[in-house]
Amino acid sequence: MTKLVVDVDTGIDDSLALVFLLASPDADIVGIASTAGNVGVAQVAANNLAWLDVCQAPPIEVAVGSPVPLVIPLRTTEDTHGPQGIGFAELPPSGRAVSDRSAADMWADLVRSNPGEVTGLVTGPLTNLALALRIEPDLPHLLQRLVVMGGAFNYAGNTTPTTEWNISVDPEAAKVVFDAFSVVPPERRPIVCALDITERIEMRSEHLERLGARAGSSPAERVDATDPQHARSAASNPVVRHLSDAVRFYMTFHRQQGLGHISHMHDPFAAAVALDPSLVATRPATVDVELAGTLTRGMTVADWAGMWGRPPNVDIACDTNPDAFFDLLIERVGDFAARLYPPEGARP
Ligand code: RIB
Ligand code: CA
């Protein structure tokens, strides 16, 4: 069982990461930190609560983070994730309440009360983890492991030519975090899942079809490039229906970017790595973040060869088997969806 603090900017792929973790018997989510990024922080928190309802989850703390990055104004990306950050999905508003402590305080309190037991997963900007480090400087030693979805190393950015979104929203926070984790022993270096590897995780329509079939949902789930704009899922299973409507928006965005009718599932991949680091091959490197470059600000720079004379501070995920990941995702989420909403049951 892995105790997890999950820090998300929910987000379409963050949504799938949350559902995957809720579907995973080896995941014990002890707290969800809502971070401003894809959409504003209040919307991120509302999305997190709404997904907990869809998944009939037990009470799990959802804390609200800073409304803005450490230094620069917030930039959101509704064109990528939709006006509410969950694509075309329309989730019933939740009656659950957010935590009365901030995301940063929750981070600090949970690592103090579970020393050496919590794995941190960040699939959004690193704002609230950086704020937590100010509250608890010993956090890197108190955390069992950290997995970050972010950055681009020998690879083009998706936000500027050199910069990946999570880092670009709050480069100062990213530098604080990478610097702070320079002190941990090699076996507990943060695992960084950057675009180099997460853009190999290409969800296609057949993955959704397999997910629907595994969940016993009907009719067969398809999201085709030729579908009309107003097409929405008719899946009998609410988990399949809502995820499909979310992913449909993401696939349209990727197609419009010339990437094909696919969607890069960055965050659920990082979530799977948090549960099982053996899913990736990694290489140690010293990583720092460019803050002053006029063209390269927010770039994550990896020193693979020790040229800076500084010891490695991260393990960069370099290789994986995307098909094995999708098999795991479809099996876990499909079986979970079927348990929650049995095929023979009425359509809630
Ligand atoms: O660059 C991809 C990352 O930025 C993902 O985490 C996505 O959800 C966005 O936050
Ligand atoms: Ca995200």
Side-chain angles (χ1 to χ4, degrees):
M1 187 67 85
T2 302
K3 274 187 183 169
L4 289 160
V5 170
V6 184
D7 192 325
V8 288
D9 64 333
T10 311
I12 293 171
D13 55 334
D14 305 78
S15 300
L16 195 48
L18 282 176
V19 175
F20 170 75
L21 291 173
L22 291 166
S24 295
D26 52 344
D28 173 16
I29 304 175
V30 293
I32 299 173
S34 309
T35 291
N38 288 323
V39 290
V41 72
Q43 185 64 61
V44 170
N47 292 342
N48 293 336
L49 295 173
W51 282 115
L52 291 181
D53 284 350
V54 169
C55 295
Q56 300 172 26
I60 296 176
E61 181 176 6
V62 174
V64 180
S66 170
V68 290
L70 295 190
V71 174
I72 56 178
L74 175 65
R75 174 182 170 205
T76 55
T77 180
E78 287 78 1
D79 60 325
T80 309
H81 290 264
Q84 293 181 315
I86 47 176
F88 293 123
E90 294 180 24
L91 303 184
S94 175
R96 299 176 188 232
V98 293
S99 172
D100 56 12
R101 57 185 174 181
S102 72
D105 282 329
M106 183 188 75
W107 263 110
D109 293 346
L110 287 174
V111 298
R112 285 170 178 156
S113 54
N114 300 276
E117 295 177 20
V118 171
T119 292
L121 169 67
V122 185
T123 65
L126 290 153
T127 310
N128 292 299
L129 182 50
L131 291 171
L133 283 159
R134 286 182 187 168
I135 298 167
E136 178 47 82
D138 213 24
L139 187 148
H141 293 295
L142 294 169
L143 204 57
Q144 204 286 322
R145 199 77 190 266
L146 177 67
V147 176
V148 174
M149 191 280 131
F153 293 101
N154 307 321
Y155 200 84
N158 62 0
T159 306
T160 74
T162 62
T163 305
E164 177 276 330
W165 171 261
N166 288 335
I167 308 299
S168 74
V169 168
D170 198 340
E172 280 75 16
K175 178 172 177 57
V176 165
V177 170
F178 288 132
D179 287 353
F181 277 81
S182 301
V183 299
V184 304
E187 67 277 7
R188 290 177 49 195
R189 281 193 290 253
I191 300 173
V192 177
C193 299
L195 294 181
D196 310 50
I197 201 161
T198 64
E199 288 202 351
R200 293 176 52 197
I201 311 301
E202 298 185 337
M203 178 172 264
R204 298 184 300 276
S205 181
E206 48 265 40
H207 293 123
L208 287 167
E209 189 165 2
R210 285 171 53 193
L211 175 61
R214 183 94 188 197
S217 186
S218 59
E221 195 59 32
R222 293 284 313 168
V223 173
D224 291 317
T226 53
D227 289 346
Q229 270 281 355
H230 59 274
R232 296 292 182 271
S233 172
S236 58
N237 185 289
V239 173
V240 175
R241 187 164 70 248
H242 293 314
L243 287 177
S244 179
D245 284 344
V247 171
R248 177 184 292 278
F249 189 100
Y250 216 24
M251 283 185 164
T252 304
F253 171 80
H254 283 72
R255 198 170 67 246
Q256 289 166 347
Q257 297 294 309
L259 297 168
H261 189 60
I262 57 107
S263 54
H264 292 137
M265 282 302 161
H266 313 277
D267 296 347
F269 178 74
V273 173
L275 293 181
D276 180 5
S278 73
L279 288 176
V280 291
T282 62
R283 276 181 63 200
T286 307
V287 166
D288 206 332
V289 182
E290 176 58 63
L291 298 181
T294 49
L295 299 176
T296 57
R297 175 168 152 81
M299 180 177 184
T300 49
V301 183
D303 174 8
W304 303 96
M307 298 176 182
W308 294 334
R310 292 155 52 186
N313 56 342
V314 304
D315 287 340
I316 296 174
C318 295
D319 198 9
T320 193
N321 178 338
D323 291 338
F325 163 73
F326 278 112
D327 290 348
L328 175 68
L329 180 78
I330 289 163
E331 177 185 323
R332 286 207 171 160
V333 175
D335 289 352
F336 179 60
R339 287 197 305 274
L340 293 176
Y341 303 99
E344 66 282 359
R347 172 174 161 169

